[in-house]
Amino acid sequence: MKLTKEQKDELAQKLTNPWARVDLICDGYTVTLSVRRYKALSYRVITYVNGQLNHEWISSKQSFPEQKFLRKEVKSLVSAAERKKAEKEFGKRWVAKDPFWSGKVTFFNSDWLSGKTAINHLCKVCESVQVAPDTSEELAA
């Protein structure tokens, strides 16, 4: 079961406020999206899986099932300007074959620019996404 458009919009609206938090159940995991301060006057939505953020998940050297909830980022080892300079100096064919000049590094980030992008990503990669039952109401009763 996936979230409806209305539920997505409501959750994304909730995540526009600083320190807001949304709990979801995605494929049996409890995924918490929490707005946290990133830099001065800047906030990001941070993803926690089962209440934790393990820094081992960031590296792509090992595979973890929790990585699917995070934002995948692929970067070149060398900037485009440096690569162009090398192509002029050594030739395009040589640069394309060299692992340093054509290499890329993959890693997984836990932060998102907005709640909408985080929720859309979760709906895309998960078979089932549901809003977790609110435990604060049970504690108050």
Side-chain angles (χ1 to χ4, degrees):
M1 185 171 125
K2 300 259 182 158
L3 296 174
T4 64
K5 185 178 180 339
E6 292 79 23
Q7 286 176 316
K8 285 183 191 179
D9 292 340
E10 182 184 328
L11 294 173
Q13 182 61 36
K14 237 186 215 185
L15 291 171
T16 58
N17 299 323
W19 315 113
R21 172 185 163 151
V22 170
D23 292 321
L24 300 170
I25 298 175
C26 304
D27 294 342
Y29 292 89
T30 303
V31 177
T32 302
L33 301 175
S34 180
V35 180
R36 295 286 177 242
R37 188 172 175 181
Y38 183 69
K39 292 181 182 175
L41 301 177
S42 176
Y43 290 88
R44 294 266 176 117
V45 177
I46 308 296
T47 306
Y48 298 96
V49 182
N50 291 334
Q52 63 181 347
L53 175 61
N54 193 337
H55 294 287
E56 291 177 347
W57 302 340
I58 293 171
S59 173
S60 64
K61 291 179 181 175
Q62 283 187 317
S63 181
F64 295 98
E66 292 87 355
Q67 287 174 333
K68 75 176 183 179
F69 304 117
L70 306 178
R71 181 171 55 92
K72 184 177 181 179
E73 196 167 332
V74 180
K75 288 196 172 194
S76 297
L77 292 174
V78 189
S79 71
E82 290 174 346
R83 183 181 164 103
K84 254 201 179 8
K85 213 185 278 185
E87 285 175 354
K88 283 185 179 180
E89 190 174 332
F90 303 117
K92 284 186 179 183
R93 199 172 286 163
W94 186 84
V95 169
K97 290 180 182 178
D98 187 56
F100 174 74
W101 294 103
S102 61
K104 296 185 183 293
V105 64
T106 303
F107 54 95
F108 297 88
N109 276 327
S110 64
D111 62 296
W112 302 85
L113 286 175
S114 71
K116 185 175 184 176
T117 55
I119 292 167
N120 286 338
H121 172 77
L122 291 174
C123 289
K124 181 180 170 186
V125 300
C126 298
E127 297 293 322
S128 168
V129 180
Q130 301 172 355
V131 178
D134 192 15
T135 56
S136 61
E137 292 174 4
E138 295 171 7
L139 294 175

